[in-house]
């Protein structure tokens, strides 16, 4: 019993790395691209971001991993099962039902926001949580925790996950990620 408590505490000391799905880890499109797709799902052709599997396996050594997408719940759960290396266990896989819709009057539509305070109930601390997203408007309430990356649209020379992994390794032991400047992270690799 005592041993479990200690190992749970230790687990929680790793930083939680929450990853967006679409345009961050994969690109899904109904229009086939010139390159080979990785697999099909419903009406979508799915393209994995270059180095996706290596990235997940490497990051799994240093972080607790999770996925949070604003897409439909079934789609997200199914796609994650299809791309996940078997040795990885995500802390959670969250989708639209965990997002908070906010009316954007300029765009005249709802933006499904990811509000990080929701993870506190799961026992995670904001000081030890990062969220990676290509859509700043979806994580605008999480300024101190967010790392913004370039969207992936199928470009096979995309190197974003390698760059991101280099940056993340420099901050993996931080006691408070909110104190780290994350804008312009590419310049600090
Ligand atoms: Mg995205």
């Amino acid at each position: 019993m005592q041993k479990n408590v200690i190992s749970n505490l230790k687990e929680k000391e790793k930083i939680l790395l929450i990853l967006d799905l679409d345009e961050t880890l994969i690109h899904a499109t109904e229009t086939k691209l010139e390159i080979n797709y990785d697999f099909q799902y419903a009406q979508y052709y799915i393209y994995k971001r270059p180095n996706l599997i290596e990235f997940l396996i490497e990051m799994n050594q240093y972080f607790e991993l999770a996925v949070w997408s604003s897409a439909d719940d079934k789609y997200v759960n199914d796609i994650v099962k299809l791309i996940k290396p078997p040795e990885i266990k995500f802390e959670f896989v969250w989708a639209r039902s965990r997002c908070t819709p906010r009316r954007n009057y300029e765009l005249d539509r709802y933006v499904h926001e990811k509000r990080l305070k929701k993870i506190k109930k799961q026992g995670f601390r904001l000081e030890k949580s990062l969220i990676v997203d290509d859509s700043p408007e979806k994580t605008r309430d999480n300024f101190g925790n967010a790392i913004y990356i370039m969207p992936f649209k199928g470009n096979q020379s995309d190197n974003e996950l390698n760059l991101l992994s280099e940056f993340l390794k420099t901050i993996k032991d931080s006691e408070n990620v909110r104190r780290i400047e994350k804008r312009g992270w590419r310049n600090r690799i």
Side-chain angles (χ1 to χ4, degrees):
M1 194 62 192
Q2 184 65 18
K3 189 162 176 281
N4 277 343
V5 171
I6 290 167
S7 73
N8 279 345
L9 283 175
K10 188 142 179 60
E11 291 264 321
K12 292 287 183 203
E13 280 172 13
K14 274 190 191 174
I15 292 172
L16 175 69
L17 180 65
I18 306 167
L19 302 165
D20 173 47
L21 183 60
D22 284 308
E23 274 69 62
T24 293
L25 301 183
I26 62 150
H27 177 57
T29 172
E30 292 183 45
T31 315
K32 212 192 273 186
L33 307 178
E34 299 276 306
I35 51 167
N36 290 336
Y37 55 86
D38 287 293
F39 57 92
Q40 283 180 277
Y41 176 84
Q43 70 271 40
Y44 300 108
Y45 298 96
I46 310 291
Y47 300 85
K48 292 183 195 167
R49 193 166 209 162
N51 307 303
L52 171 62
I53 302 307
E54 297 86 340
F55 172 79
L56 292 175
I57 290 173
E58 189 176 20
M59 291 304 101
N60 190 45
Q61 296 171 41
Y62 307 119
F63 296 94
E64 303 295 337
L65 299 181
V67 173
W68 195 353
S69 164
S70 62
D72 169 81
D73 287 53
K74 179 171 164 42
Y75 165 89
V76 173
N77 280 293
D78 288 350
I79 297 285
V80 166
K81 279 184 199 135
L82 291 164
I83 63 172
K84 189 185 82 64
E87 64 265 50
I88 290 182
K89 186 185 166 296
F90 290 119
E91 295 294 308
F92 56 83
V93 176
W94 283 2
R96 179 162 300 178
S97 62
R98 297 282 188 163
C99 295
T100 305
R102 171 144 69 183
R103 188 82 186 158
N104 182 314
Y105 291 97
E106 274 168 45
L107 300 173
D108 193 28
R109 63 178 171 85
Y110 283 96
V111 172
H112 297 276
E113 294 185 350
K114 303 167 188 178
R115 296 195 181 160
L116 273 190
K117 60 186 172 204
K118 291 194 174 186
I119 68 170
K120 288 202 271 183
K121 286 190 193 132
Q122 316 290 320
F124 297 106
R125 291 191 298 131
L126 293 183
E127 294 79 11
K128 300 280 275 181
S129 301
L130 289 165
I131 185 162
V132 174
D133 210 307
D134 67 290
S135 304
E137 76 275 12
K138 289 177 187 167
T139 54
R140 53 188 255 169
D141 276 356
N142 315 314
F143 180 74
N145 302 88
I147 299 172
Y148 299 123
I149 62 169
M150 302 292 288
F152 170 61
K153 302 276 191 186
N155 177 4
Q156 290 306 283
S157 56
D158 176 283
N159 193 36
E160 196 75 344
L161 293 181
N162 280 340
L163 297 175
L164 180 64
S165 127
E166 289 306 309
F167 175 62
L168 287 172
K169 280 187 270 181
T170 68
I171 64 172
K172 67 182 170 55
D173 298 316
S174 169
E175 281 307 315
N176 186 351
V177 300
R178 309 184 92 188
R179 294 218 189 94
I180 298 169
E181 175 61 81
K182 290 171 278 309
R183 289 172 295 183
W185 57 267
R186 278 180 200 74
N187 302 325
R188 282 192 299 283
I189 296 172

